[in-house]
Amino acid sequence: MIQSLRKKLTLLFLGLFLLIYVLGGAAALGVFYHGLTLALDEELRDLSSEILPAIQLSTGKPSLKKWADAAEHEHLTSPAGIQLFDQKGELLEKYGLSGDGLKKGELKVQGDNHTISVKSNFEELREDGKHLGYLQVQIPTNSRDTAAQQFGLTMLLMLPILAVAVSFAGYFFSGLAIKPVEKSIKVLKTFVADAGHEFITPVTVVEASLQTLEEQLKEHNIGLDVLSMISRASQRMKDLASDLIFLAKLDNPDAQLPEEVISLDEVVDPAIEDVSELARGKSIALSCSSVPELPIYGHRHSLQVMLTNLLTNAIKYTETGGSVKLDAGQENNRIVISVEDSGIGIPADRLDSIFERFYRVDESRSRAQGGSGLGLAIVKAILERHKSEIEVQSTPGKGSKFIVRIPIAQVSVQAISKH
Ligand code: ADP
């Protein structure tokens, strides 16, 4: 449980990091791109204000010839495109990149042999208040686009490295964070196990005293019904205490539950034997298919308890005269055991809860049947210890089917030591 909590926290940490990284990265890229675009605008303005004084306007028709000759003479090359238009927007002169009419903003223009993305701006040319035309300046945006692409690519390449580092850090820190929780759970489990042990001793004394009292009362034939009531109550207390102790043991990873290779029939047969009296008492037809000799590596007693609990429930929650059937077989590399009854069934919305401790679908019915609400919690804990799974199919009023899947031990059947 603690390990899965630690993994969940690590995944949460990683998820949060990825979210922040992606959102933060996108915002950073946006800011970076915007900054570069502002720099381009500034460059455009500088270029315009550099060229404007060199335009000859005296002839009434704007010209940049003198400026162009001087630039050529001084071997000044500019990656920009400069165009002069008359007041109607007709192109008069062009230098560098060829523009595509009078346009502002980002556009694509034809270069020598491919299209180029440029940022374009134009300004009106006036002399003595008379509108003579326009000066348009365009500069390529490829340096900005390449820088933004590189920025994005670097962020993308950093992502897997950072994700791995964050996962390790998350796993480490979640380990630190859950240490106090782990400690509290350990204290609680020890408390439950200790309380269970403390219960067992006085209940055993009560049981022994009841036996003596029963013999004395039998002679006088008085109070026997009260005595049997006390006896049933003390038995329930003893069962509850034993279940709590067993559950605490299953929860404790350090608790010794010696494992061995067991044959499937060694688990099934004693469980059937355990519940046959209960089934007879309720006239329930208890049947069991032939059990294949398949090996399981596990704790013999726990596996028997697991099956006994499922069979006991099947009988408890089936009306008199009903049926309970156990099937065992193989599915790929797993043993499949199913316990099917023709009982009261479980509502679909309760199926997830029945494995919780002290959960009962119908509390009074469970108590009347002597249930402690721990049977299925024990089944689940045993199966988790054996890396096995359980599935429930149920139809209220028709019956339930509990299907258990246990890995087959990787040994030959001959290696199974029968007890
Ligand atoms: P309990 O001691 O109450 O039987 P369990 O943990 O064994 O506790 O089972 C939890 C609840 O699941 C039961 O109270 C019962 O409502 C339901 N349940 C378990 N097995 C069956 C079954 N075979 N048919 C119907 N209900 C069942």
Side-chain angles (χ1 to χ4, degrees):
M1 188 181 90
I2 288 290
Q3 276 313 309
S4 80
L5 183 68
R6 191 172 179 182
K7 276 185 202 150
K8 268 187 205 156
L9 279 175
T10 309
L11 281 178
L12 208 72
F13 197 56
L14 182 64
L16 209 65
F17 161 74
L18 288 178
L19 189 76
I20 293 170
Y21 189 83
V22 170
L23 292 181
L29 187 62
V31 170
F32 182 62
Y33 189 84
H34 182 66
L36 291 178
T37 307
L38 288 181
L40 275 182
D41 288 340
E42 182 124 7
E43 205 179 324
L44 267 179
R45 275 196 301 276
D46 287 352
L47 210 56
S48 290
S49 48
E50 205 178 287
I51 297 167
L52 270 172
I55 300 173
Q56 298 154 258
L57 297 167
S58 50
T59 55
K61 193 176 169 196
S63 173
L64 254 176
K65 279 213 167 59
K66 265 191 185 163
W67 171 82
D69 290 345
E72 202 178 312
H73 189 250
E74 287 171 35
H75 301 292
L76 292 176
T77 50
S78 165
I82 300 152
Q83 298 107 33
L84 282 179
F85 293 86
D86 64 13
Q87 63 268 56
K88 287 186 191 135
E90 296 293 331
L91 183 65
L92 297 172
E93 288 172 27
K94 71 178 174 77
Y95 302 93
L97 296 169
S98 56
D100 180 22
L102 257 183
K103 277 176 191 163
K104 269 188 184 177
E106 306 240 348
L107 43 124
K108 296 221 185 289
V109 298
Q110 193 55 45
D112 291 339
N113 42 21
H114 59 284
T115 52
I116 302 169
S117 301
V118 294
K119 196 149 182 35
S120 177
N121 195 22
F122 61 81
E123 286 181 36
E124 280 185 12
L125 299 172
R126 287 185 177 273
E127 188 161 74
D128 301 332
K130 200 173 165 214
H131 181 206
L132 296 176
Y134 301 92
L135 165 70
Q136 177 164 277
V137 181
Q138 297 175 329
I139 48 174
T141 56
N142 59 344
S143 57
R144 177 202 63 184
D145 297 342
T146 311
Q149 264 171 20
Q150 271 173 358
F151 184 91
L153 202 68
T154 312
M155 287 210 63
L156 213 65
L157 287 175
M158 294 283 287
L159 184 63
I161 303 163
L162 288 175
V164 171
V166 166
S167 302
F168 277 113
Y171 193 71
F172 173 73
F173 286 117
S174 55
L176 288 184
I178 58 174
K179 266 224 156 75
V181 182
E182 200 173 8
K183 219 169 162 182
S184 313
I185 291 176
K186 215 170 175 174
V187 170
L188 198 67
K189 281 178 182 168
T190 315
F191 167 76
V192 172
D194 290 350
H197 282 293
E198 291 304 320
F199 264 125
I200 289 270
T201 322
V203 172
T204 314
V205 175
V206 171
E207 268 187 343
S209 315
L210 281 174
Q211 270 173 13
T212 321
L213 197 63
E214 190 180 3
E215 277 156 28
Q216 290 171 5
L217 291 178
K218 253 183 191 164
E219 281 175 25
H220 303 94
N221 201 19
I222 48 159
L224 284 172
D225 46 348
V226 179
L227 201 69
S228 82
M229 227 169 71
I230 300 170
S231 171
R232 275 202 306 276
S234 86
Q235 184 59 46
R236 278 191 57 186
M237 273 182 79
K238 199 173 172 186
D239 289 347
L240 181 63
S242 311
D243 282 353
L244 283 173
I245 293 168
F246 190 46
L247 207 48
K249 202 169 177 183
L250 287 168
D251 281 343
N252 180 2
D254 302 329
Q256 290 297 312
L257 290 175
E259 298 192 331
E260 58 187 319
V261 180
I262 321 151
S263 174
L264 177 58
D265 55 308
E266 289 180 90
V267 176
V268 175
D269 293 348
I272 293 278
E273 217 174 292
D274 273 355
V275 298
S276 53
E277 192 53 48
L278 188 66
R280 245 195 312 277
K282 279 184 84 176
S283 306
I284 283 174
L286 177 64
S287 62
C288 177
S289 67
S290 76
V291 180
E293 259 202 17
L294 292 167
I296 304 174
Y297 186 70
H299 183 238
R300 182 185 296 272
H301 175 67
S302 302
L303 290 167
Q304 286 167 358
V305 169
M306 178 272 298
L307 218 48
T308 305
N309 282 4
L310 289 180
L311 286 165
T312 308
N313 276 351
I315 297 167
K316 271 194 319 194
Y317 299 107
T318 296
E319 306 295 352
T320 309
S323 65
V324 171
K325 190 170 141 222
L326 186 146
D327 267 312
Q330 183 175 353
E331 191 184 271
N332 301 323
N333 54 352
R334 291 193 294 182
I335 290 168
V336 182
I337 308 169
S338 68
V339 175
E340 190 171 4
D341 63 57
S342 62
I344 58 169
I346 305 159
D349 60 336
R350 308 294 182 90
L351 287 176
D352 285 341
S353 312
I354 55 172
F355 293 95
E356 285 167 20
R357 289 160 200 211
F358 294 113
Y359 184 86
R360 290 129 157 162
V361 176
D362 180 342
E363 199 149 321
S364 53
R365 184 172 190 141
S366 161
R367 277 190 213 284
Q369 302 276 1
S372 64
L374 288 175
L376 288 181
I378 290 176
V379 166
K380 192 172 166 224
I382 292 170
L383 290 173
E384 271 172 7
R385 271 247 173 180
H386 289 83
K387 298 182 175 54
S388 305
E389 290 160 13
I390 187 159
E391 181 197 336
V392 195
Q393 298 164 357
S394 189
T395 313
K398 286 203 167 160
S400 311
K401 189 173 181 180
F402 286 75
I403 306 158
V404 170
R405 292 187 176 85
I406 308 171
I408 298 178
Q410 299 304 307
V411 290
S412 66
V413 178
Q414 285 73 29
I416 302 171
S417 60
K418 291 235 174 188
H419 285 245

